């Protein structure tokens, strides 16, 4: 178990002691009966950081010439968001970024992954850049560098300019050229200081939920729309990487996928078949085109109507890194009405613990994902670009928020990173999702993923125990006998 004293000793200078709960030992959940955890010893140079995305934290949706995005439209449509909220203010990071960077510096984070909002840069999705929009990312970048936190930017985390959606968005092939132009504008301005660039965040999630299921923006439905959106995102990613590499050969260029092992929830053969289809939609339709220049066999006929000559060669492009977002395994069943290729989520294995999202807690699944990249995709340099958990945290008390379950979740996934590295996976860093409690898409503000609590009425930030834990890891403090959550 982490003792308060250990954390205080390990605490980087400047981090208020009040960031810790009054009495961590008392606040902890009962120790797990499991065997003692091995010591966490991440290799030298391993990057520890945090991730966020523009629409989820920035707010300031009408400032400095920003255009509307599909998430503005969607969240302002009655009935779309669980708590009726939107990202108009969110964490107000647009105005409070300096405070947020300061907290990252206090945590000792080596890097920060944020996303650039396309409609700040091109309000209508095309044409000359909106300079005040780019200025914001310039200020953020400079502040990060001044505080020793390396910026890692993602060019697209789901906030497409609404003007492009009005022309079909990702289902219109024209978006490939638009995205490539946008990427070049952003990197021309920031590429001298931001060394690592991800093109897209979780294209499969965006394609499935935004274009087939319709519970995310832009709210389109139908498998055909999924196929078009997924293929055009694959193309846009390849096209942007090629253009950026030609202009900026020294930058680290890659992309970010949500990956999960997919398993049949039962022993039935139809569930096994469903797992193959689900796996293609979630994982393979991203991985195979990028690394092998083809769609998985089971998807090839579906994509055929969207593929033009040369497309598969254009999508297959060497990447300097792959970002892996990992939350848990998928346990699936055959379901003719299921949104993902006639498959749906089934029960988790008995006894599996879950987070507030009802997602299974399965750290070993991260090792499996990274081993698959090692064995089937040439062992690319990887970063865990998102991993974390939503919990119903207690309200801040005495300037602290105790979140032992999230802390244990992070600890267990860092240990999984350690195992993957020992097993030869080229994993180079871990970014927790998320720096701040934020706008969790269709769930609004009802789900908290942050290592920093945000009071959405006052916008006050309060670091949680998980923040202090990561600060201890970042500072190299002993964490061998550590906190156990439920
Ligand atoms: O909040 C999201 C993020 O935007 C993308 N990956 C999963 C997170 C948790 O749902």
């Amino acid at each position: 178990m982490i003792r308060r004293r250990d954390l205080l000793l390990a605490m980087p200078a400047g981090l208020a002691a009040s960031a810790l709960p009054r009495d961590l030992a008392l606040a902890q959940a009962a120790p797990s009966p499991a065997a003692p955890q091995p010591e966490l010893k991440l290799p030298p140079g391993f990057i520890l950081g945090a991730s966020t995305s523009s629409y989820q934290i920035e707010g300031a949706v009408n400032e400095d010439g920003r255009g509307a995005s599909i998430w503005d439209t969607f969240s302002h449509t009655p009935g779309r968001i669980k708590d009726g909220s939107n990202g108009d203010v969110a964490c107000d990071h647009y105005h409070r970024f300096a405070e947020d960077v300061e907290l990252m510096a206090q945590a000792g984070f080596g890097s920060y992954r944020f996303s650039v909002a396309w409609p700040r840069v091109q309000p209508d999705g095309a044409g000359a850049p909106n300079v005040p929009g780019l200025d914001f990312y310039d200020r953020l970048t400079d502040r990060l560098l001044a505080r020793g936190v390396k910026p890692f930017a993602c060019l697209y985390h789901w906030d497409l300019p609404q003007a492009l959606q009005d022309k079909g968005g990702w289902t219109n092939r024209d978006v490939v050229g638009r995205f490539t132009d946008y990427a070049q504008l952003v990197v021309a301005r920031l590429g001298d200081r931001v060394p690592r660039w991800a093109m897209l965040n979780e294209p499969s999630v965006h394609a499935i939920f935004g274009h087939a299921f319709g519970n995310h923006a832009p709210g389109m439905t139908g498998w055909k729309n999924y196929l078009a959106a997924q293929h055009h995102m694959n193309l846009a990613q390849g096209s942007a990487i090629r253009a950026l590499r030609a202009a900026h050969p020294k930058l680290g260029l890659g992309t970010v996928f949500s990956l999960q092992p997919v398993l049949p929830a039962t022993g039935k053969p139809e569930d096994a078949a469903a797992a193959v289809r689900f796996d293609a939609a979630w994982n393979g339709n991203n991985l195979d085109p990028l690394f092998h220049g083809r769609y998985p066999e089971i998807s090839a006929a579906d994509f055929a109507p969207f593929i033009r000559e040369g497309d598969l060669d254009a999508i297959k492009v060497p990447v300097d890194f792959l970002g892996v977002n990992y939350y848990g395994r998928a346990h699936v069943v055959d379901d003719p009405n299921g949104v993902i290729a006639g498959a749906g989520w089934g029960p988790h294995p008995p006894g599996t613990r879950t987070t507030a999202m009802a997602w299974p807690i399965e750290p070993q699944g991260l090792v499996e994902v990274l081993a698959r990249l090692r064995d089937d995709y040439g062992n690319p340099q990887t970063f865990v670009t998102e991993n974390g958990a939503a919990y119903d945290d207690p309200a801040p008390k005495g300037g602290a928020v105790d979140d032992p379950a999230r802390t244990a979740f992070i600890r267990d996934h860092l240990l999984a990173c350690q195992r993957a590295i020992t097993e030869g996976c080229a994993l180079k860093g871990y970014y927790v999702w998320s720096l701040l409690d934020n706008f969790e898409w269709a769930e609004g503000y009802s789900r908290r993923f942050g290592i920093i609590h945000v009071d959405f009425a006052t916008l006050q930030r309060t670091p949680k125990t998980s923040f202090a834990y990561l600060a201890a890891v970042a500072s190299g403090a002993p964490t061998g006998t550590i906190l156990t959550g439920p």
Side-chain angles (χ1 to χ4, degrees), residues 37-375:
Q37 293 284 349
E39 196 182 341
L40 181 62
K41 267 196 188 155
L42 296 164
F46 188 84
I47 294 170
L48 210 55
S51 269
T52 63
S53 90
S54 43
Y55 190 73
Q56 293 181 273
I57 64 164
E58 285 179 0
V61 292
N62 292 317
E63 283 185 49
D64 294 334
R66 177 187 180 275
S69 81
I70 54 174
W71 270 99
D72 295 290
T73 309
F74 191 79
S75 63
H76 280 269
T77 306
R80 292 301 206 173
I81 309 297
K82 192 168 159 183
D83 56 7
S85 64
N86 54 58
D88 287 5
V89 177
C91 306
D92 195 31
H93 174 76
Y94 194 77
H95 299 113
R96 294 166 197 254
F97 72 91
E99 180 185 350
D100 296 335
V101 171
E102 195 51 37
L103 284 162
M104 284 186 260
Q106 288 177 9
F109 286 156
S111 179
Y112 171 50
R113 184 183 76 117
F114 60 95
S115 78
V116 175
W118 187 345
R120 283 199 196 283
V121 177
Q122 290 180 307
D124 294 326
N130 171 44
V131 174
L134 277 173
D135 287 348
F136 167 67
Y137 298 104
D138 204 87
R139 291 194 293 278
L140 172 63
T141 297
D142 284 347
R143 179 62 70 133
L144 287 163
L145 291 171
R147 297 300 287 119
V149 183
K150 267 214 179 102
F152 176 176
C154 177
L155 286 163
Y156 184 74
H157 197 124
W158 307 353
D159 40 3
L160 189 77
Q162 181 61 42
L164 292 183
Q165 186 59 40
D166 296 342
K167 296 180 183 144
W170 287 105
T171 65
N172 177 350
R173 193 178 165 101
D174 194 44
V175 73
V176 175
R178 299 284 72 73
F179 180 75
T180 309
D181 290 350
Y182 153 71
Q184 288 172 291
L185 289 179
V186 178
V187 179
R189 176 75 188 270
L190 301 172
D192 58 334
R193 282 154 295 148
V194 178
R196 192 165 284 137
W197 292 86
M199 303 301 110
L200 305 177
N201 183 75
E202 299 185 358
S204 67
V205 176
H206 192 40
I208 291 169
F209 294 116
H211 299 79
F213 199 31
N215 67 329
H216 277 194
M220 297 177 93
T221 53
W223 201 238
K224 209 172 142 197
N225 286 328
Y226 155 78
L227 292 165
Q230 177 66 73
H231 184 61
H232 297 146
M233 280 191 264
N234 286 339
L235 271 174
Q237 184 181 274
S239 164
I241 290 178
R242 283 171 201 282
L244 294 176
R245 187 161 285 140
H248 309 271
K250 291 205 174 122
L251 293 181
L253 304 174
T255 200
V256 171
F257 294 158
S258 172
L259 298 176
Q260 52 186 336
V262 180
L263 305 166
T266 74
K268 293 184 199 160
E270 58 269 34
D271 292 343
V276 175
R277 297 195 300 275
F278 191 115
D279 179 66
W282 199 280
N283 301 311
N285 293 345
N286 291 283
L287 289 168
D288 287 13
L290 176 63
F291 289 103
H292 298 321
R294 58 171 185 261
Y295 281 101
E297 216 179 308
I298 199 162
S299 311
D302 277 359
F303 279 105
F306 302 95
I307 301 176
R308 294 193 192 160
E309 206 182 329
D311 278 9
L312 294 172
D313 289 339
I315 295 171
K316 184 181 176 208
V317 60
V319 284
D320 299 307
F321 68 87
L322 180 70
V324 174
N325 293 357
Y326 176 78
Y327 289 90
R329 300 186 183 106
H331 304 278
V332 311
V333 289
D334 180 49
D335 176 0
N337 301 316
V339 69
I340 303 182
W345 286 272
H348 310 318
T352 307
R353 290 177 300 121
T354 57
T355 67
M357 299 290 279
W359 295 348
I361 302 173
E362 299 175 313
Q364 185 59 20
L366 174 56
V367 183
E368 292 158 15
V369 158
L370 294 169
R372 181 175 177 181
L373 293 174
R374 180 196 60 203
D375 298 342

Side-chain angles (χ1 to χ4, degrees), residues 390-429:
Y391 284 104
D392 297 326
D393 298 323
K397 209 171 157 196
V401 173
D402 194 22
D403 61 341
R406 181 178 297 103
T407 306
F409 181 101
I410 293 169
R411 181 271 324 268
D412 290 346
H413 285 79
L414 283 173
L415 284 166
C417 290
Q418 181 167 302
R419 288 198 294 283
I421 293 167
T422 310
E423 292 171 20
C425 301
L427 176 65
K428 305 295 178 194

